[in-house]
Amino acid sequence: MPPRTRRSDALSRDRIVEAAVELLDTAGEAGLTFRTLTERLATGAGAIYWHVANKGELLDAATDGVIAAALAAGSPGSPREEIRAVALGLFDAIERHPWLGTQLALQLARTPWGSVTARIFEGIGRQVRALGVPAGHLFTTTSALVSYIFGAAGQNAANTAGVPAGADRAEFLDAVSTAWEELDPDEYPFTRAVAAEVRGHDDREQFLAGLDLVLAGITAVHLSRAK
């Protein structure tokens, strides 16, 4: 048998959070228990409780860790480029971790003073201020961006989860498009008109296009006020 990992290494808080994220990704929130966590880490529950008091704290720590990694996806560039990079990092994180959207919504509403909310607003708000948005409008503008990012990313994750297991995405979208095209033309003229655009669309490109619309609006409003 290979030598056992030293207890101090195996039971660091970071390792516990990493294992929790792995369990959440594969089994969802219901599958994350201290029993499953002790089995994965090959240790006793008491040792884990030394680092994490309860499941709520564990979920908070897992969310914070994933968000911290996602926000690090930004790259040096203009404020607009930085916002796009951060937003796409968050979009990809929510898509990769199906549990994340729910936890973000809970933490933003339940503990807005927590580290997750602060990380998000700091990561995006700095760039909003760098765009030239004046004081007095920073919170509202940053909130609008955060709402778009999580709303669109969460809806995309829900759409992805809604595709039947084993189904081909292109075939699924084609079925949606066909159903829209067959709607009553008098009652649904717009939906029928855009039905063809559903086929083969790229979710990430659509997300970024929407983000660009929001950023264009922010720039237009605040640059016009500055003149």
Side-chain angles (χ1 to χ4, degrees):
M1 294 178 59
R4 292 177 61 87
T5 305
R6 287 190 309 158
R7 172 164 295 231
S8 59
D9 293 335
L11 296 181
S12 69
R13 182 179 172 87
D14 287 347
R15 177 63 192 115
I16 292 170
V17 172
E18 179 185 345
V21 170
E22 292 169 357
L23 283 169
L24 285 165
D25 288 347
T26 57
E29 184 179 340
L32 175 62
T33 66
F34 274 72
R35 178 177 179 178
T36 56
L37 195 56
T38 57
E39 291 173 352
R40 175 160 295 223
L41 293 171
T43 188
I48 294 176
Y49 280 118
W50 177 263
H51 295 278
V52 183
N54 50 53
K55 183 174 178 177
E57 183 180 331
L58 188 57
L59 285 167
D60 288 350
T63 303
D64 187 55
V66 172
I67 290 299
L71 290 173
S75 57
S78 68
R80 186 187 184 97
E81 291 169 338
E82 184 71 15
I83 289 172
R84 290 178 99 252
V86 168
L88 195 56
L90 292 169
F91 177 89
D92 289 340
I94 292 172
E95 185 171 48
R96 284 195 304 269
H97 305 285
W99 53 272
L100 183 59
T102 299
Q103 286 304 311
L104 282 171
L106 287 172
Q107 291 198 36
L108 289 171
R110 188 174 56 201
T111 54
W113 54 83
S115 59
V116 169
T117 304
R119 283 188 195 278
I120 293 165
F121 268 79
E122 186 67 26
I124 296 174
R126 284 189 193 183
Q127 304 308 321
V128 168
R129 183 165 55 189
L131 283 173
V133 174
H137 299 278
L138 290 169
F139 175 69
T140 298
T141 304
T142 302
S143 295
L145 268 170
V146 170
S147 294
Y148 169 75
I149 291 168
F150 290 136
Q155 184 61 56
N156 175 73
N159 292 343
T160 300
V163 176
D168 179 79
R169 180 179 181 276
E171 292 178 356
F172 180 78
L173 291 177
D174 183 68
V176 174
S177 182
T178 299
W180 284 13
E181 289 169 342
E182 294 173 352
L183 291 171
D184 184 284
D186 295 323
E187 192 172 359
Y188 301 99
F190 173 79
T191 305
R192 282 171 54 93
V194 300
E197 297 178 30
V198 174
R199 290 188 178 93
H201 78 273
D202 185 282
D203 293 327
R204 294 169 95 250
E205 289 181 3
Q206 187 181 53
F207 171 75
L208 288 174
L211 180 66
D212 286 340
L213 288 173
V214 177
L215 290 172
I218 291 170
T219 302
V221 168
H222 292 294
L223 284 183
S224 66
R225 285 177 177 170
K227 292 180 181 178

